[in-house]
Amino acid sequence: MALNLLMLGPPGAGKGTQAERFARARGIPKISTGDILREAVHANTGIGQRVKAVMDRGELVGDDVMIGIVRERLEREDAMGGFVLDGFPRTVAQASALDGIMTRRDPLIVVDIVVPEAELVRRLGTRMICDDCGTGAPVGSSVGAACLKCGGRFVPRADDDQAVVIERLKVYHRQSEPLVEYYRVRPTFRSIDGAQPPDRVAADLAAAIDAARSGAGYGVQG
Ligand code: AMP
């Protein structure tokens, strides 16, 4: 039984960190649309050139582009045994396309990470990525520290300056928060408290997933 996990929550909720950690522990791929887009921008591909300005403003890239990217990624062999999806869907249109993509696959487990707004603003103001490969810096890293993946330098994320942070949170409330209602009615939906230390969040996430899997009517598996 494949573990197909979808992480919901506002920017700064810790989705990326928890998704990475969980995917590594379970040996399944973490698929982050933000990472895919940042890599495309960095490599200056056609898609990268088209999405850069939109991302820098904190707005959402068009549904068609995003659905195409995710459809192609989820059809790859390594995603057949399960995956952790981070940053997608972000609109109801994306969620409904994802349901289409997931037909005849194991059900999506959906976990919403809840964090108060003031804490999100504080976290987003201090978040960094590698200047070279776009990987997110571990919490608490300092500017200029070396990236563990490629040796590049950590810098503040371009879309994390104050005005853009406010815009991204507005975009979240307007376009992505309705997703919580979209998924809440499913037996595989759970929400967890993301305003705790990362280890606690990780433990709650694992427990929520086990509960959601038994709620879906099949046995819990390690
Ligand atoms: P993230 O790293 O998930 O916060 O994504 C960074 C930026 O990439 C977002 O602010 C959007 O501009 C864009 N992006 C990532 N995922 C999506 C998506 N599913 N739909 C639209 N835009 C996205």
Side-chain angles (χ1 to χ4, degrees):
M1 175 67 69
L3 175 50
N4 300 328
L5 174 65
L6 195 163
M7 313 274 288
L8 290 184
K15 297 189 297 294
T17 308
Q18 294 295 334
E20 176 88 48
R21 193 169 161 160
F22 186 82
R24 203 175 328 115
R26 302 289 174 119
I28 53 180
K30 171 204 164 198
I31 300 173
S32 155
T33 46
D35 286 351
I36 293 173
L37 294 173
R38 277 185 290 277
E39 274 163 28
V41 169
H42 185 251
N44 205 22
T45 64
I47 285 188
Q49 289 172 7
R50 267 189 284 152
V51 303
K52 185 178 183 321
V54 176
M55 289 177 75
D56 284 348
R57 287 197 300 271
E59 294 167 9
L60 292 188
V61 173
D63 286 335
D64 290 352
V65 173
M66 296 314 304
I67 291 165
I69 289 174
V70 169
R71 181 188 305 282
E72 186 273 326
R73 182 64 188 86
L74 290 182
E75 276 164 7
R76 282 200 230 153
E77 193 54 41
D78 69 339
M80 292 301 157
F83 56 79
V84 183
L85 201 45
D86 156 38
F88 184 97
R90 271 210 176 53
T91 63
V92 170
Q94 292 178 13
S96 120
L98 179 62
D99 282 338
I101 296 169
M102 293 303 292
T103 313
R104 287 189 293 279
R105 293 175 69 159
D106 290 323
L108 285 169
I109 305 293
V110 183
V111 179
D112 182 34
I113 306 189
V114 180
V115 176
E117 189 94 353
E119 173 67 7
L120 295 174
V121 173
R122 192 190 65 75
R123 289 186 188 178
L124 289 168
T126 57
R127 203 158 65 155
M128 284 179 294
I129 57 166
C130 172
D131 200 16
D132 232 15
C133 71
T135 299
V139 177
S141 306
S142 40
V143 177
C147 169
L148 298 175
K149 238 187 202 168
C150 78
R153 299 284 144 198
F154 288 135
V155 294
R157 259 176 69 159
D159 57 358
D160 277 349
D161 83 46
Q162 193 73 32
V164 182
V165 162
I166 289 164
E167 177 59 22
R168 295 177 76 221
L169 289 171
K170 263 199 225 153
V171 166
Y172 169 76
H173 290 306
R174 195 168 58 234
Q175 289 173 276
S176 305
E177 210 167 25
L179 288 175
V180 176
E181 299 317 311
Y182 181 90
Y183 287 115
R184 194 189 290 284
V185 291
R186 300 189 183 184
T188 52
F189 174 90
R190 293 290 183 281
S191 49
I192 60 172
D193 175 8
Q196 314 178 79
D199 285 351
R200 290 298 307 270
V201 179
D204 285 1
L205 176 64
I209 291 166
D210 285 348
R213 294 184 96 188
S214 25
Y218 49 86
V220 175
Q221 295 168 359

